[in-house]
Structures are given as structure tokens and as C-alpha cells.
Amino acid sequence: MGPGAVAWLLALLALAEAGRNFRLLRQRVLQQREVRAMKEALAGRWLPRPAPWRAPIEGTLRQPLDHFDRQEGRSFPQRFWVNEEHWHRPAGPVFLFVGGESALSPFAVLSGHHMELAQKYGALALALEHRFYGASINPDGLQDDSLRFLSSQQALADLAAFHLYITERYSLRENSTWVCFGGSYPGSLAAWLRLKFPHLVFAAVASSAPVRAQLDFTGYNQVVAASLSDPVVGGSALCHEAVAGAFAAVDQRLAAGRLDELEKDFRSCGPLAEAGDREELAGNLADIFMGAVQYNDEGFAGGTVAKLCRIMTDAGLGSPYQRLLAVNNGFLESMALPCLENSRQHALTELRSTNLSLSGVGERQWYFQTCTEFGYYQTCEDPTCPFSRLLTLADQLDFCSQLFGVAPQRVEGAVNFTNEYYGADHPRASRLLFVNGNIDPWHALSVLRNQSRSELAILINGTSHCANMNPSRPSDPLPLVRARQRIDDHVGQWLRWARTEPSAA
Ligand SMILES: *[C@@H]1O[C@H](CO)[C@@H](O)[C@H](O)[C@H]1NC(C)=O
Ligand SMILES: *[C@@H]1O[C@H](CO)[C@@H](O)[C@H](O)[C@H]1NC(C)=O
Ligand SMILES: *[C@@H]1O[C@H](CO)[C@@H](O)[C@H](O)[C@H]1NC(C)=O
Ligand SMILES: *[C@@H]1O[C@H](CO)[C@@H](O)[C@H](O)[C@H]1NC(C)=O
Ligand SMILES: *[C@@H]1O[C@H](CO)[C@@H](O)[C@H](O)[C@H]1NC(C)=O
């Protein structure tokens, strides 16, 4: 464990804890994943090793702020990690882990399924933090004028420049075989890197990658509803009904103006007095269920589908509305929160803050990318959605106007452009593998079926967001074990092709 990792761990423990429930959940899950990765990495270190262990190297690369305008002379520092431990130099392949909307850490090149593969195939392991997230940002990076340099296209150009830099620094051969890996938004980036720079990257594994941009992502809550009904993860039709009933009761109270009652019942930090506060409450309560579904496989204490459904179907607790109170109380307790923060002004103030946070998810940056590239708004206007009707597209788009001055029409145009530019869920690339779990709400925007002989898809029964990227564990369900085996088979096959048909691009 190098000093870098220790400093990083201290930063992690100091994570700011504020904002809407889903933001908190994401931070916690991230934290949990990293702690688990650290434990596994440390456990491995105590075993006797044939060779002295070489810690991952952390480095910084100066990148142009704008790859597409030579007149723009400014740059920013981009952080990366290199692990040479498994590398069969000089001919071994290069595995690149793509960073996304949160800070990366040394564990990106120490732990995870891609590192099991790196060990097996003798790969040089690399990870590049995404521009404007973590420490890969200038001090003024979160100001409006700087954010215009944040985009997936700039991020892909960063990855291409990183390829050149590493090739020189490690004296790699021109024909080295690069395979890239990413999960969630970085999964899309991994696929798009292969699509747009096929001469640099031989193949890509894109996990839980929402490659189709969508303004109104109603499909998200359709999958959440299906997962709350799915017995494979402990859901049931009864659970789904109870959740829908509880939120209908919340909506009735909101419509009837019974705000005092809601504030008290859900332990609101303040009165639901200002515009947007009622929507924040509705969103916070829905977030508990969305988070449980999206991160069901993370063993997160805040709730699994099975745990929430046990509470929501327990008639002993009273009406579905009263069971929802119990869910909320349990959530606040597990997150060690004194009350539920439902102030819209509070949320806006946080998202407007240009203070840098070197760890965790970059919420302001990510909101900016949804407004200018992807949409992905998880609405509840569809009749099949089990949550509050206050979760509207208009309300979420209002953030784009208020935070960045981006009008709804421009968000829609940006989403259209993204799909035309990258090909949405029909990217027409080759040597691409899309991996999804059917419990994960994001699979609705990914590639679920083979598109061609070299654009392949695996859909895992019963797993959630990016489950296949975690390190293998003895308790993994069989469909997950099989999926990892198939990923391994494809990677092995690509590497054999690269040797036998070196010119195949
Ligand atoms: C940003 O930093 C300033 C100065 O340290 C501090 O006063 C302010 O509360 C911070 N804002 C947020 C939203 O964290
Ligand atoms: C985006 O695409 C949709 C579907 O093709 C179209 O109806 C809409 O007018 C487009 N919007 C903008 C702003 O380009
Ligand atoms: C997709 O292609 C792979 C590799 O050719 C094959 O093993 C798999 O059965 C195909 N899946 C489907 C659903 O056809
Ligand atoms: C998923 O697995 C369960 C058994 O664990 C089975 O009942 C169900 O049909 C499977 N679903 C799909 C979509 O294959
Ligand atoms: C790369 O080229 C070298 C010769 O320069 C050759 O020995 C090696 O097999 C090639 N490797 C691959 C993966 O094609």
C-alpha cells in the first residue's frame, strides 16, 4: 500500500455527506466498493509472492483543455495509474480501465474482474481518470466558463493522447494489443473508443453501458418496477403493489396540502415550504428504491430489494404508507442521517458550488453532462411507474436551465446529436462486448442482443449495475460466474486473433 493509497483513503473517509438520497447512495456504494477492493488487495499482499510486489505508479499527464481548438493554449492535469505487476513485457497486451463520473483510485489497477484477466493474460494495466472528475481538473474547473471543455468527445481524445503517451513512455510496440474496459458511462466510453479509434484499441468490454442517450428515461423506473416484482432478487407482485400504494398515499397528502404531516412522518430537516421541496421529498423517497435496485448486488446496508420488500409487504407495520415510513426510518438510520434533506434550495446551492471535491462522484459535472449530452432523466410520468407523479421531466430539465442556462430544447437537441454521433444502441463497431444485468435499470439503454459476429451481448439473469466488474467471490450466483467466464473466453479469443492476424483493425 503506497502513500498515495493512504492519502486517498483519508480523503474517502472525509467524503462530504449532503444532497439528495441518490447522491448519498452513490457515494456510499463507491466507498463500499473501494473499501472492499482495498481489503482484497491487502489480503493478497500478505500471501508470499514469487517476486517483490511493485505498487501501482500514479502519474499525471498534461492534456490540452481543448483537443479541437489549437488556439486554446490552456491545459489541465490528468491523473492515471499503471500496474506492471502482471505484465509480460514487451509483448503482453495492454488493458485500459476507463474512468468516468467519479474519482478513480489505485484500486482501478489492483482489483476487479479486469485485473483477474490482466493477471491471466500478462497485461500491462492502466487506468485514466476522466477529465474534470477527481483530481483531473484545474482549480477553476467547475466554473461555467470551464465546463464547456467537459464532454465525452474531449474524454475520448484524452484517451487517444494517453495511448500515445504510454506507448512512448513504456516503449510499447506499434502493434501492442490494447483492450479497454469500463462500466456505466465509462462502459459507453470504452465502446466509443473502439468505435472512433479502432486503430488504437483492438477490442472493448462495455459493462452496463447506456449507449443510447435519452431525454426522458422512463424505462429506468419500468425496470425498477420489474425488479421490485422479480422473485430472483426477493421481489414480488405484492411488494410492487405496496410500493405503488404507498407513493399514491404520499401524492394524495401532497395534493391535499397535508405538508405538516409529511414533514413529521418522513423526518424532514425543514418545512416543505419552498418551490421544489415537495419534488425533493418525492425524489428522496423514490431514490431509496432506485438505489436498492441499481446497487442490489453491492451488499449495501442501506437496503437490498429483498430487504425493502420484506418491510413493504409486512402487514404488521400497518398500511403501505406506514411501511414506507419504516423504510425511510431504516434508510436514515443506516446512513446515520438525523433527518431527510428536502430543500430544493439546498440541492441547487450544492450543485452550483464550484468548490472542488477530489473524491467521490462529481455531481455538478455529471449534471452538466446530462444537460449537454445524455439526458437520462429518471421520470415517473408513465402510468406503470410505482413512485410519485411529481418526478417529471420538466422538473429535472429545470435544473439544466437554472444551473447552466441550458434550455429544454437544447438538451433535446444535444441528446439527438449524441445518438447520431455514436450510433446509439447500434454502434456498428467490431470486437465489442456489451455486458448487462437484467435487474439493472440502465440495461434499458444498452445493447442486449448480438448485433453481428463481432458485436456481442451478454445479459445476466439476476444481477444489477456493473456486477460483473467486481472481483470474483465464492458466493457469486451461477449466471454471474458464467458471464465472467464468457467475458474471459472473448478476451482470450481477441488476444489470439491479435497474434494471428496482427493487421486486423
Ligand atoms: C465552498 O467553500 C467555501 C470556502 O471554503 C465555503 O465557505 C462554502 O461553504 C463551500 N460551499 C459548499 C457548497 O460546500
Ligand atoms: C430530436 O429527435 C426527435 C426524434 O427524431 C425529433 O422529433 C425532435 O424534433 C428532435 N429535436 C431536436 C431539438 O432536434
Ligand atoms: C452471441 O454470440 C456468441 C458468440 O458468437 C454466441 O456464443 C451466443 O450464443 C450468441 N447469443 C445469442 C443470444 O445468439
Ligand atoms: C432467471 O432465473 C430464474 C431462476 O433463478 C428463472 O425462473 C427465470 O425464468 C430466469 N429469467 C430469465 C429472463 O431467463
Ligand atoms: C508485433 O511485432 C513483432 C515484430 O515487430 C512481432 O514479433 C510480434 O509477434 C507482433 N505482435 C503482435 C501481437 O502482433
Side-chain angles (χ1 to χ4, degrees):
M1 192 73 11
V6 172
W8 159 84
L9 189 66
L10 293 176
L12 185 72
L13 296 174
L15 268 185
E17 293 201 350
R20 222 179 87 179
N21 281 348
F22 206 84
R23 294 198 273 278
L24 290 182
L25 270 164
R26 287 220 293 185
Q27 302 277 23
R28 276 298 170 87
V29 168
L30 209 68
Q31 202 169 351
Q32 176 129 339
R33 253 188 219 151
E34 298 272 351
V35 168
R36 199 164 74 198
M38 183 190 66
K39 280 189 192 150
E40 281 170 23
L42 281 176
R45 299 305 149 218
W46 303 126
L47 300 174
R49 298 222 147 205
W53 179 58
R54 272 188 290 181
I57 297 162
E58 180 180 324
T60 302
L61 172 63
R62 274 269 148 205
Q63 291 269 22
L65 202 51
D66 190 347
H67 287 281
F68 310 121
D69 180 3
R70 297 273 168 99
Q71 305 296 316
E72 172 55 69
R74 286 176 292 171
S75 64
F76 75 98
Q78 189 166 31
R79 196 157 61 149
F80 65 85
W81 285 270
V82 180
N83 183 349
E84 298 176 55
E85 191 183 10
H86 310 297
W87 188 27
H88 293 173
R89 51 171 85 224
V94 182
F95 286 1
L96 170 58
F97 184 88
V98 179
E101 72 276 22
S102 49
L104 283 191
S105 79
F107 297 108
V109 292
L110 281 173
S111 148
H113 185 233
H114 67 290
M115 289 309 300
E116 293 168 18
L117 296 174
Q119 182 163 18
K120 174 168 176 180
Y121 294 108
L124 175 64
L126 310 172
L128 183 66
E129 193 168 67
H130 194 293
R131 64 163 53 206
F132 289 70
Y133 294 93
S136 298
I137 188 167
N138 286 329
D140 66 352
L142 291 185
Q143 289 171 17
D144 289 356
D145 187 50
S146 302
L147 282 175
R148 65 199 164 94
F149 300 110
L150 169 60
S151 72
S152 59
Q153 290 185 56
Q154 296 280 5
L156 293 175
D158 290 336
L159 286 158
F162 181 59
H163 185 290
L164 183 65
Y165 169 81
I166 290 291
T167 299
E168 285 174 359
R169 177 160 163 185
Y170 287 86
S171 309
L172 299 182
R173 292 176 179 167
E174 293 276 310
N175 63 358
S176 289
T177 306
W178 286 59
V179 179
C180 53
F181 296 83
S184 200
Y185 162 53
S188 300
L189 290 173
W192 296 336
L193 190 63
R194 170 67 193 142
L195 177 75
K196 298 292 186 188
F197 296 91
H199 58 300
L200 299 183
V201 172
F202 192 78
V205 181
S207 299
S208 304
V211 282
R212 168 173 287 282
Q214 194 169 59
L215 187 65
D216 186 347
F217 185 12
T218 33
Y220 186 96
N221 282 326
Q222 285 167 357
V223 180
V224 171
S227 298
L228 290 173
S229 318
D230 191 339
V232 173
V233 288
S236 62
L238 215 57
C239 176
H240 177 219
E241 267 169 46
V243 172
F247 277 91
V250 170
D251 275 0
Q252 275 166 14
R253 284 166 174 77
L254 284 169
R258 290 157 66 179
L259 299 180
D260 290 351
E261 186 185 340
L262 289 164
E263 286 158 16
K264 192 166 126 290
D265 284 350
F266 292 105
R267 294 163 61 186
S268 184
C269 296
L272 301 168
E274 309 278 335
D277 292 353
R278 298 179 318 153
E279 286 78 1
E280 288 289 311
L281 170 68
N284 274 326
L285 295 178
D287 283 348
I288 302 174
F289 294 89
M290 296 184 199
V293 170
Q294 179 166 325
Y295 297 116
N296 190 55
D297 51 321
E298 299 289 339
F300 175 63
T304 58
V305 173
K307 183 178 160 194
L308 295 189
C309 281
R310 264 197 306 278
I311 301 173
M312 288 308 297
T313 54
D314 183 353
L317 294 169
S319 67
Y321 175 81
Q322 279 159 334
R323 299 174 210 165
L324 182 58
L325 303 194
V327 164
N328 184 56
N329 287 336
F331 177 82
L332 291 176
E333 208 168 289
S334 71
M335 303 290 282
L337 293 170
C339 56
L340 196 57
E341 181 52 79
N342 297 315
S343 159
R344 172 62 56 91
Q345 272 317 311
H346 184 269
L348 284 170
T349 302
E350 286 214 329
L351 287 166
R352 282 199 182 104
S353 168
T354 56
N355 293 359
L356 296 187
S357 159
L358 299 184
S359 64
V361 180
E363 295 293 352
R364 175 173 166 80
Q365 303 91 304
W366 180 243
Y367 220 107
F368 178 81
Q369 287 199 267
T370 68
C371 297
T372 53
E373 295 192 86
F374 306 120
Y376 294 148
Y377 301 115
Q378 295 147 17
T379 59
C380 196
E381 295 177 273
D382 179 284
T384 65
C385 176
F387 306 122
S388 168
R389 302 292 149 212
L390 290 189
L391 303 180
T392 62
L393 179 62
D395 186 55
Q396 300 209 39
L397 281 172
D398 198 40
F399 278 89
C400 295
S401 308
Q402 292 212 41
L403 295 171
F404 309 113
V406 179
Q409 188 72 12
R410 270 180 63 206
V411 184
E412 187 182 320
V415 167
N416 285 3
F417 172 82
T418 299
N419 286 329
E420 280 162 29
Y421 186 75
Y422 295 120
D425 45 7
H426 297 84
R428 293 186 194 285
S430 60
R431 286 195 292 271
L432 264 185
L433 177 60
F434 290 96
V435 187
N436 285 280
N438 71 341
I439 297 300
D440 177 18
W442 291 97
H443 85 255
L445 298 179
S446 193
V447 178
L448 306 179
R449 276 180 282 278
N450 290 350
Q451 303 291 301
S452 68
R453 272 175 50 214
S454 71
E455 219 178 341
L456 304 169
I458 298 174
L459 184 59
I460 312 170
N461 184 0
T463 65
S464 196
H465 204 51
C466 300
N468 57 288
M469 300 183 79
N470 292 329
S472 306
R473 280 182 297 177
S475 58
D476 288 332
L478 194 57
L480 178 57
V481 174
R482 289 206 180 113
R484 288 211 189 94
Q485 185 54 52
R486 286 178 61 192
I487 296 168
D488 185 342
D489 291 344
H490 285 295
V491 169
Q493 191 177 53
W494 289 329
L495 297 177
R496 279 193 302 281
W497 280 349
R499 279 194 300 272
T500 53
E501 295 171 61
S503 59

